[in-house]
Amino acid sequence: MTEQPTTRTNADAGADAPDAEGEEKLEARVGWRYTLAQVKRDPTALVGMCIIGVMIVIAAIAFVDGVLFEYLSDYAFFANLGVHQYVLAETFWVNPAVDPGSPQILRPPVGLTNQLYPEDPGTWAHPLGTDHRGRDILVRLFYGTRIAITVGVISTGIALVLGVLVGSVAGYYGGWIDDALMRGSETLYAIPFLVLVIAFMTAFGQNLIYAMVGVGIATIPTFARLIRSRVLSVREEDYVEAARAAGVRDRNIILRHVIPNSFAPVLVQATLQIGVNILIIAGLSFLGYGAQPPTPSWGQMLSSSRQYMLPNPWFSIWPGIAILITVVGFNLIGDGLRDALDPRINN
């Protein structure tokens, strides 16, 4: 007997064929595009992104006017054009650092009064009032944004880079390398944070650069311990074993496979840590270890206002609100990233 060829129906073929649409959906649920789409759908993350977006624009303007123009003014060509530090502020507003010629000291916000001006409410000339030297509080808050964003991002970046390298190497190699690196991190972590930063700045200098470096170094253990816990599981994955079998160098395995696949929780921690570092350096400025007068700084404004809280409490309230809004903005972004990168929530 001859065997008859079997014919397959379209239904049978469709049953065995892979579900292209399903695979496309699964494939779309990974990668930075999917993460960004998830963050955009989170209302709290959108609020945080709007807050930080506005702060970054303000900080960029303040950087150009306060730092870039000061650098360019050293060249005769730009000096002849009238370029100098805070030229934009003087053109459209008032200088945030120079005391005015006829100061109106500790003026209240527009429409309000205080002990010094019980029958003379504040005006639109100084919407948020003036400080103890007669300088406009709103313009100093505006230009103080540059300090806050800069110190938060740079100090967190220092801690992120060094902490990720230390934690990744410790988790990947294990053994005595892991013990040496993590015991060093734990020793650093055991020292009180402010004591460590103040000691670092006392040894090298009391300025903003050393404040950022000191806070960054003190925060290294946070990122090192976090990524190490992820690397300990990632290093056992099949693709890492395959890379080792193919003769790929350990350095390339760590940079191309281990760190990228362990980075999600570190990214969330970084956004949260920026807000924490802004608070820390504001506290250092309050103690006199951060930005030095007359540079506009929220922490330095809080320090100056402590002697005038009774006659004009608004002097201390405004920089506190600015710090609060900025820190909340970064925390909202961190919460949105955590939700987008958490597979338990996505599933």
Side-chain angles (χ1 to χ4, degrees):
M1 296 178 63
T2 60
E3 184 177 354
Q4 296 294 330
T6 58
T7 58
R8 302 183 64 187
T9 63
N10 293 335
D12 296 333
D16 296 339
D19 188 354
E21 183 178 356
E23 288 186 357
E24 184 177 353
K25 288 182 179 180
L26 290 174
E27 188 174 344
R29 291 174 66 89
V30 296
W32 65 269
R33 291 183 180 178
Y34 172 74
T35 300
L36 184 60
Q38 289 289 99
V39 172
K40 288 181 178 179
R41 285 196 289 266
D42 190 332
T44 58
L46 286 178
V47 172
M49 293 172 66
C50 291
I51 293 173
I52 300 307
V54 171
M55 293 293 181
I56 290 175
V57 171
I58 294 174
I61 296 173
F63 173 81
V64 171
D65 199 24
V67 178
L68 182 60
F69 283 173
E70 181 185 15
Y71 173 77
L72 294 178
S73 64
D74 295 335
Y75 296 90
F77 173 78
F78 294 101
N80 294 333
L81 294 176
V83 174
H84 60 274
Q85 188 181 29
Y86 299 128
V87 62
L88 294 179
E90 293 176 353
T91 302
F92 300 100
W93 212 345
V94 293
N95 193 303
V98 177
D99 299 348
S102 55
Q104 300 180 9
I105 297 174
L106 298 176
R107 291 286 302 178
V110 59
L112 300 178
T113 60
N114 58 23
Q115 292 183 5
L116 299 177
Y117 303 92
E119 299 179 357
D120 187 11
T123 63
W124 284 107
H126 304 289
L128 300 184
T130 59
D131 65 3
H132 61 301
R133 296 184 180 275
R135 296 170 297 192
D136 188 87
I137 291 179
L138 181 57
V139 71
R140 287 181 62 80
L141 286 177
F142 187 97
Y143 281 82
T145 307
R146 172 181 66 88
I147 301 295
I149 298 297
T150 300
V151 299
V153 172
I154 293 181
S155 61
T156 304
I158 293 172
L160 176 66
V161 173
L162 297 180
V164 165
L165 290 177
V166 170
S168 300
V169 171
Y172 181 79
Y173 287 105
W176 68 268
I177 296 179
D178 183 18
D179 292 338
L181 292 177
M182 297 314 297
R183 296 301 83 74
S185 296
E186 290 171 1
T187 301
L188 194 64
Y189 197 76
I191 303 174
F193 196 96
L194 283 178
V195 173
L196 178 62
V197 176
I198 291 175
F200 179 86
M201 296 180 65
T202 303
F204 293 97
Q206 297 181 16
N207 58 47
L208 198 59
I209 295 177
Y210 292 118
M212 293 186 291
V213 175
V215 172
I217 292 176
T219 319
I220 288 176
T222 301
F223 292 97
R225 297 169 67 182
L226 180 61
I227 196 169
R228 174 184 174 272
S229 63
R230 292 285 300 168
V231 170
L232 289 175
S233 60
V234 170
R235 70 178 183 179
E236 306 297 335
E237 296 291 340
D238 293 339
Y239 53 85
V240 175
E241 295 292 341
R244 288 199 196 101
V248 180
R249 295 180 178 179
D250 288 342
R251 179 188 63 186
N252 293 334
I253 294 176
I254 293 174
L255 294 178
R256 296 179 182 178
H257 300 289
V258 174
I259 292 179
N261 288 283
S262 308
F263 199 70
V266 178
L267 180 61
V268 175
Q269 179 62 36
T271 57
L272 300 175
Q273 193 66 43
I274 291 175
V276 173
N277 287 355
I278 289 174
L279 279 173
I280 291 170
I281 297 186
L284 291 172
S285 297
F286 183 86
L287 298 174
Y289 287 91
Q292 301 300 313
T295 302
S297 167
W298 296 344
Q300 194 271 330
M301 292 176 67
L302 283 172
S303 178
S304 301
S305 67
R306 58 185 173 179
Q307 301 177 9
Y308 309 100
M309 295 187 68
L310 289 180
N312 187 22
W314 294 101
F315 185 12
S316 59
I317 290 175
W318 295 124
I321 292 176
I323 295 172
L324 173 66
I325 292 174
T326 305
V327 173
V328 168
F330 280 109
N331 287 347
L332 292 178
I333 294 176
D335 290 341
L337 280 174
R338 181 192 59 193
D339 295 342
L341 296 172
D342 192 339
R344 294 171 298 178
I345 297 177
N346 293 339
N347 292 330

